[in-house]
Each structure stands twice: as structure tokens, then as C-alpha cells.
Amino acid sequence: MADIFVVVEHRKGEVRDITFEMLFKASELCKESSHNLTAILLGGRDSAFLDDIAPWADRVITLEDERLENYNPDLYKEILHRLIQKHHPFLTFIGHTSFGMGFAPALSVKSGYPIATDCIDILIDNGRPMVTRQIYNGKVFSKDSFRESEGYIITLRQAVCTPEKTEERRGEVFKSELPPDLPEPRQEFMEFVEAGAGEVDISQADLLVSIGRGIGEEENVATVKELADLLGGVISCSRPVVDKNWLPSYHQVGTSGKSVKPKVYLALGISGAFQHVAGIAGAGTVIAVNKDKKAPIFRVSDYGIVDDLFKVVEALKVKLSG
Amino acid sequence: MNIIVCIKRVPMTQEADLEIDELEKDVKKDALPFVINDWDNYAIEEAVLLREKTGGTVTAVTIGTEEDEEILRRALAMGADKAIRIDPGDLGLDGFVTSRILAEVIKGGDYDLVLTGLQADDYNCGMVGMMLAEHLGIAHAAGVTGIEPEGREATIRVELEGGMDGVLKIRFPALMSVQTGINEPRYVSIMGIRKASKKELKVIKTGDLNLTEDDLAQRTTVEMVFLPPETEGAEIIEGDSSMVAEKIIRILAENGVSV
Ligand SMILES: Cc1cc2nc3c(=O)[nH]c(=O)nc-3n(C[C@H](O)[C@H](O)[C@H](O)COP(=O)(O)OP(=O)(O)OC[C@H]3O[C@@H](n4cnc5c(N)ncnc54)[C@H](O)[C@@H]3O)c2cc1C
Ligand SMILES: Nc1ncnc2c1ncn2[C@@H]1O[C@H](COP(=O)(O)O)[C@@H](O)[C@H]1O
């Protein structure tokens, strides 16, 4: 019976949701395969959340040290590598988050265990994992296999499952000391910086009129802003609009922007990449306008209009002012 | 500071009606326009900006076909000093093999910083950067949105979720994968590209590198790709623009948004 490792992700003293999503996925796999679910908690002294994690796992291996309080890719990679060498886990789950993206592929090279990133599903087929991923920004799905190995690493996309505890696990806690011979980390965490608040708070709006790269030119932003004003809504956007400095960053919806919960979300020229739609899970009704009928945004919308967004914007303006 | 920037040419799929190829391993790409990966465009700009500040050289590298040289010439036009294309022949490439080849070409050279994109816009893996760093044995950071070099180290910003950044100090040599929005990539004209064609563009064959069969063996394989079912999802509103507008206003009202 081998282990399935889940690497706990935490920030500013709180466990992040992805941790429970991974624990849930791993527990489902453990049920089918009788593997041992082992949570790995690298954190500062007396991590307050040990009790939250323990009931989800058969055991928790925890290493506590001030240097692990804030994420350090070098230390995390080195410690996980040693745990892998010692326990030979069949699977190691890491979040496909900023945290995981910064060291999981390097850990794969170091340990020799192959990796698949940003997975949305995993099944075990003839003793080997097989993963489902999305490619081309969600327009196509892909099933990938691994070269045979003793163990495998998987990074899981955020919010692909809703954790539900169906059974209590033993949650035996093993505290280990940090190995004395850890290499000196080559980076040092300094501080967190929050993006400044802006004039508007998109997370409080009832109606968001949201624009994506389909807006084409900076001049067109004003056209849609007029529509948002006529509708009494607030303008928001996808990342490329902020990257181009067409709107300030506090207008951005998504994993690296804000999560929003308007009554209605009107998405204009947004393709519906996962990092964007993760931010609109709390929206009431989603209406999408996109000229590509296969745009992934339609899969998460209540209503879809397959057309040029400018035609729809103009027609709405005519109706509202006439 | 000597900087290596790894770049990839990818198909533009956002507005395309994609079809699956006969082997069911990828989409049909013949009719698709190809561009530089968006993230890599930011990486080139960042490399050139840093070189303008600190001196040194910028070398753009891609593993790709002769057609992919287009993005190397683009990088040269943006200000890169040298370009290298590594021809993979008919080798199958996954993130591991790609990073292993890049490492073989980069290692031992005189570099302080390697930049990659955070992810490529085709398979959205986000792994070549951190794998390459491990092959090279250097410090690494992913999703970088700001780089301030000071001697043998740099203060960098790493993007976290929810509009938060982490500030780190990192030692050179280092590899950083760049997030979009870190700068404003300069415009490249056809003239600029033509002028830059005088700069050095070296071609290396993978077969000439000192790589074993195991180095070039894919760690993951795409077994099949498919389009998601079209049936699920939104109720499509049809009709002329005026009818569509009316319907949208009705939906707003039904959902408690008064206009
Ligand atoms: C770590 C990380 C974090 C990220 N965080 C975020 C985030 O917080 N928020 C976010 O949005 N993205 C985020 N992204 C980027 C994300 O992956 C996508 O690249 C981005 O969401 C795409 O934005 P888009 O839909 O506006 O552009 P595209 O994907 O380019 O889509 C444009 C769409 O407009 C349509 N279109 C074009 N012209 C018209 C027209 N005239 N009328 C109608 N439709 C038209 C096209 O068919 C296409 O579907 C992140 C990425 C990474 C790697
Ligand atoms: N064929 C390639 N040649 C050069 N660099 C590449 C190649 N493929 C990927 N990269 C680099 O690795 C980054 C991440 O790609 P990926 O891991 O495929 O998502 C890209 O943004 C590039 O900087």
C-alpha cells in the first residue's frame, strides 16, 4: 500500500481552499485503490490549522520552522524531495496555483517523478494515473498518460471539485525536525503587497458589464463604459484589458483579480479561460456575447449571443436611449 | 547582465473554429495563424529593458522549425542581440524534453538570468521554466511581475492569487517565468524586422547535442484530445440585434437589475 501525498497550501496563517480540494480528490482515489492518504504540512511553528487537516488524512507529516512560514520554493522543493525519497509516494498532489507553479515542475526533475500540470481529473488505469487537462484555453480537452515510474506528480486546477467529507480519517500526526543539512535557499521572502483599492469596487456591483480582448482597441472601452452607465452597471474586465493598461487593475475579474457576485454578469468578447471564470462562480445570471460559438464562456453562461459585441452594444444603447 | 529568453511560436486559437486531427492527438493547425506566445513577448521586452539598464546581452532561443524563426527575428527587432534556433527534427516534445534540450544549450554559457513565459498559450502547461531551472541548478520564481536587479541579486514581485503580490529577494543566476502585464511590449514594424535580419541567428540540431535517449524520452504523452460536448451550456438568444437587446433588458429586469 503506497502513499498519496497532498501538499498543504497555506498563506498568511490560513489553509487555502485548494488544499481541501486536493484532499477530497485524493480521498476518492484512495477509496478505489486502498492507498494511504498522507498530508504534508510545511509551516511555521504551531500551525493553527493542523486540526483542520488531520481528519481528512490517514496521517499528517509536518515540519515546522520559521523559514517555512512563508513559501520558499527552494526549501519546499528540497524537503519534499527528501520525503519522496523516503516514502516513495505513488502520487503527489500539489496545487496548480502561484505556489505550486513555482516549484512542482522543478521537484519533478529533481525526483525523477513525471509531472502533469493543471489537471482537472485523474483516474488510475492499470496501476498508472491518467489525467484530463484543458488545452487551448479550455477549447479542447486532452487525456494524458505518464511514462512508467515509481511515483507521479500532479498539479490540480483550483475549484474543479467541491470538497465533501464522507468519512473521518485517522489523522495521525508525525512531527519531524527540519534536516540540519538543508542547502541555503537562494531566495528570501520579504513581504506581501496587496493591490490598492480603486474608485469602484466591482465585487459589490449588481450588474457588471465586462469586457475582454474582443474589445480590440482602447477607444472602444469608452463605448462600453457608456453602455454600463446607461444600464446603471459597473464596468469590469478580463486580464488582457488590464495588461494593456486600458482599465486599472481593480476592474479585473478572475483568480489574479477579484471574485465577483453580481446579479447579472454581461461578458463581452471574453473567451472564458478558467482563470477568468473562476472569478464569476458567485454571479447570478451570466450573459455572454462572443462571435465564436465554441468559446468556453458559453459553457458557464446562462444565455449566449453569438455575434459581434459592438452590434449588441449599439442595439442596447438605442433601446435604452430611445 | 547577460540574459537568455526562451520563446515559442503558438497557433492563435481564440477565434478559430477548431477541429481535431485524424490521429486525435491535437487540433488541425494548417489553417491557423501563428504568433509569438503572449507571455514570451513580455519576457523579451523585460530582457531588453533590463539590458538597457544594466548592459550585457540578450539571446533569444526557441526549439522549433524554420518557420518558427519568425519569432526569433521579431525578438531581434525588439532589441535582442543574438538568436538561436534548436531544430528538434521529428522528436516528440513534452515539457521535460523541451526543458532538457534548452538546458543543454544554455548550460555552461555566460548568463545571469534566464526568462521564460509563465505558460505557453497552446497546451497551457506552465512547466518548462521551472524544469529548466532545475536542470541548470539555479534559483527560480514563477509568475514574476517586477524585476529590480541590484548587483548579484534582485528584488522581484511574484503574483499570487486575489490581487496580491509577494516580494522576494533572489540570487543570480536565476530563472524567472514572466507574467503578462509586467511591461508594455514595444511595437515591432516590418522595417524593424527587416533591419534585424542582419543580426546573428544560429541554428543547432538536437542530434548534435550531447543528449541521451533517456534525456529525450517524453515523460507524458497525449493519448487523445476531444472537443467538449456542445450541447451543454447557455441558452442561445437568436434574432436581430434589436430583439437581442430587448431580450437582454428583459433578463436584467427578471434578475432584479432595474434599468
Ligand atoms: C496565473 C494566471 C492568472 C490569470 N489570472 C487571470 C485573471 O484574474 N483574469 C483573467 O481574465 N485572466 C487571467 N489570466 C489569463 C487567462 O488565462 C486568459 O488569457 C484571459 O482570461 C483571456 O482574456 P480574454 O478572454 O479577454 O481574451 P481572449 O482569450 O483572447 O478572448 C477574446 C474573445 O473575444 C472574442 N471576440 C473577439 N472579437 C469580438 C467581437 N468583436 N465581438 C464578440 N466577440 C469577440 C473572441 O472570439 C474570443 O473568444 C491568468 C492567467 C494565468 C496564467
Ligand atoms: N519550444 C520551445 N522553445 C523555447 N521555449 C519554450 C518552448 N516551449 C516552451 N518554452 C518556454 O517555456 C514557457 C512555458 O511553456 P509551457 O511549459 O509549455 O507552458 C514558454 O512561455 C516559453 O518561454
Side-chain angles (χ1 to χ4, degrees):
Chain A
M1 200 165 63
D3 279 292
I4 295 187
F5 274 9
V6 169
V7 179
V8 173
E9 179 169 340
H10 55 87
R11 181 174 303 149
K12 292 187 155 184
E14 276 178 36
V15 188
R16 297 181 55 76
D17 291 347
I18 180 71
T19 301
F20 297 104
E21 292 157 14
M22 291 189 288
L23 285 165
F24 175 67
K25 271 276 176 212
S27 72
E28 293 206 309
L29 290 175
C30 284
K31 260 187 248 167
E32 294 164 20
S33 58
S34 77
H35 288 299
N36 229 331
L37 208 175
T38 299
I40 309 288
L41 169 58
L42 311 184
R45 297 255 167 233
D46 301 316
S47 304
F49 37 77
L50 192 55
D51 294 344
D52 301 336
I53 290 160
W56 282 88
D58 297 313
R59 61 172 175 165
V60 185
I61 298 178
T62 165
L63 278 87
E64 297 182 342
D65 189 276
E66 285 82 30
R67 283 176 290 170
L68 301 176
E69 174 93 41
N70 290 308
Y71 160 65
N72 184 310
D74 274 348
L75 290 180
Y76 271 65
K77 182 180 68 189
E78 183 63 31
I79 295 171
L80 284 166
H81 172 58
R82 293 186 190 206
L83 289 170
I84 284 176
Q85 278 186 319
K86 182 162 174 210
H87 300 277
H88 312 282
F90 170 64
L91 274 182
T92 299
F93 274 97
I94 300 171
H96 190 73
T97 53
S98 310
F99 165 87
M101 279 190 271
F103 76 96
L107 176 64
S108 164
V109 169
K110 196 170 176 76
S111 65
Y113 282 12
I115 187 172
T117 54
D118 198 16
C119 301
I120 60 170
D121 203 11
I122 299 106
L123 58 86
I124 295 167
D125 182 28
N126 269 323
R128 242 191 268 183
M130 177 89 131
V131 298
T132 308
R133 309 182 60 250
Q134 290 185 351
I135 57 177
Y136 301 112
N137 292 302
K139 287 185 93 165
V140 179
F141 285 58
S142 159
K143 279 201 191 307
D144 299 2
S145 65
F146 294 86
R147 180 171 94 154
E148 184 153 21
S149 165
E150 179 183 43
Y152 308 88
I153 302 176
I154 281 170
T155 70
L156 185 73
R157 175 177 286 189
Q158 303 167 67
V160 287
C161 61
T162 315
E164 209 182 305
K165 182 127 51 74
T166 50
E167 58 184 341
E168 203 68 14
R169 289 179 179 266
R170 302 193 301 283
E172 268 180 274
V173 176
F174 297 85
K175 287 204 182 192
S176 334
E177 285 305 310
L178 218 58
D181 59 338
L182 279 181
E184 189 65 25
R186 297 161 295 186
Q187 63 275 82
E188 187 191 346
F189 177 85
M190 309 297 286
E191 58 174 336
F192 290 109
V193 188
E194 302 262 2
E199 294 149 32
V200 293
D201 183 359
I202 58 168
S203 64
Q204 298 305 317
D206 277 347
L207 169 64
L208 286 175
V209 179
S210 205
I211 53 175
R213 188 157 17 216
I215 195 76
E217 308 278 333
E218 184 166 18
E219 296 83 78
N220 299 335
V221 177
T223 318
V224 178
K225 176 77 171 59
E226 282 163 24
L227 173 66
D229 290 343
L230 279 173
L231 288 167
V234 171
I235 193 161
S236 62
C237 64
S238 67
R239 180 167 187 130
V241 176
V242 169
D243 286 343
K244 291 182 160 70
N245 286 324
W246 293 350
L247 281 174
S249 64
Y250 51 83
H251 288 275
Q252 185 186 316
V253 173
T255 52
S256 56
K258 286 201 169 121
S259 289
V260 296
K261 45 177 183 5
K263 290 177 179 160
V264 178
Y265 188 76
L266 180 58
L268 307 172
I270 295 175
S271 66
F274 143 73
Q275 291 93 348
H276 184 80
V277 300
I280 60 171
T285 299
V286 177
I287 310 172
V289 184
N290 196 304
K291 60 185 185 190
D292 171 16
K293 66 176 190 300
K294 289 186 180 160
I297 189 79
F298 291 129
R299 299 205 299 267
V300 295
S301 304
D302 300 284
Y303 300 96
I305 296 132
V306 183
D307 204 350
D308 182 357
L309 74 92
F310 298 106
K311 267 172 55 190
V312 177
V313 168
E314 282 318 309
L316 274 169
K317 280 188 178 169
V318 169
K319 277 271 173 312
L320 291 164
S321 47
Chain B
M1 192 152 69
N2 294 331
I3 307 171
I4 311 274
V5 50
C6 303
I7 60 178
K8 185 179 192 187
R9 186 162 164 266
V10 295
M12 244 176 110
T13 55
Q14 275 82 0
E15 293 175 33
D17 194 2
L18 297 178
E19 283 177 59
I20 305 298
D21 69 11
E22 284 71 29
L23 295 170
E24 297 190 351
K25 304 277 193 211
D26 207 335
V27 298
K28 288 187 186 161
K29 292 183 183 162
D30 327 343
L32 297 174
F34 276 71
V35 289
I36 179 148
N37 179 36
D38 203 22
W39 279 267
D40 301 350
N41 198 33
Y42 286 95
I44 300 169
E45 179 66 32
E46 196 60 22
V48 172
L49 289 174
L50 286 169
R51 199 243 0 242
E52 283 167 0
K53 234 194 270 180
T54 66
T57 60
V58 172
T59 307
V61 184
T62 192
I63 303 177
T65 62
E66 212 173 321
E67 280 186 302
D68 295 328
E69 285 182 7
E70 174 201 338
I71 60 164
L72 290 176
R73 282 191 289 271
R74 198 174 185 288
L76 292 170
M78 284 174 78
D81 304 282
K82 290 181 263 181
I84 302 174
R85 176 171 73 86
I86 309 161
D87 199 314
D90 44 20
L91 204 65
L93 299 170
D94 65 355
F96 179 86
V97 175
T98 303
S99 63
R100 189 65 193 81
I101 296 171
L102 288 170
E104 194 57 29
V105 171
I106 295 170
K107 79 168 192 213
D110 179 18
Y111 66 88
D112 307 285
L113 179 64
V114 182
L115 295 179
T116 68
L118 174 56
Q119 65 172 33
D121 219 10
D122 45 9
Y123 309 119
N124 312 141
C125 292
M127 64 165 122
V128 167
M130 298 308 111
M131 284 187 154
L132 174 56
E134 191 62 28
H135 291 303
L136 294 171
I138 61 177
H140 47 88
V144 172
T145 55
I147 307 173
E148 293 290 339
E150 303 143 343
R152 292 308 298 159
E153 59 177 26
T155 304
I156 60 169
R157 269 179 179 247
V158 172
E159 182 180 280
L160 307 172
E161 286 79 13
M164 193 160 38
D165 283 346
V167 179
L168 313 175
K169 272 214 190 320
I170 188 165
R171 253 188 267 148
F172 291 131
L175 183 143
M176 302 179 198
S177 79
V178 165
Q179 175 61 305
T180 55
I182 184 173
N183 52 41
E184 281 185 63
R186 64 198 68 189
Y187 174 76
V188 182
S189 67
I190 309 265
M191 259 307 278
I193 291 181
R194 206 170 298 151
K195 268 202 202 138
S197 65
K198 290 190 199 80
K199 291 189 190 172
E200 176 187 344
L201 195 163
K202 190 160 120 192
V203 180
I204 298 175
K205 285 204 172 67
T206 309
D208 295 339
L209 296 170
N210 189 16
L211 291 165
T212 65
E213 212 169 288
D214 188 60
D215 289 333
L216 299 176
Q218 281 181 229
R219 279 9 182 206
T220 53
T221 307
V222 174
E223 294 295 335
M224 67 170 297
V225 303
F226 56 97
L227 297 170
E230 261 185 78
T231 46
E232 59 186 19
E235 175 188 321
I236 299 297
I237 304 173
E238 319 249 11
D240 64 29
S241 303
S242 162
M243 284 159 67
V244 167
E246 230 161 75
K247 171 90 187 194
I248 292 176
I249 292 169
R250 199 153 7 119
I251 297 168
L252 290 175
E254 282 165 13
N255 287 281
V257 178
S258 50
V259 295

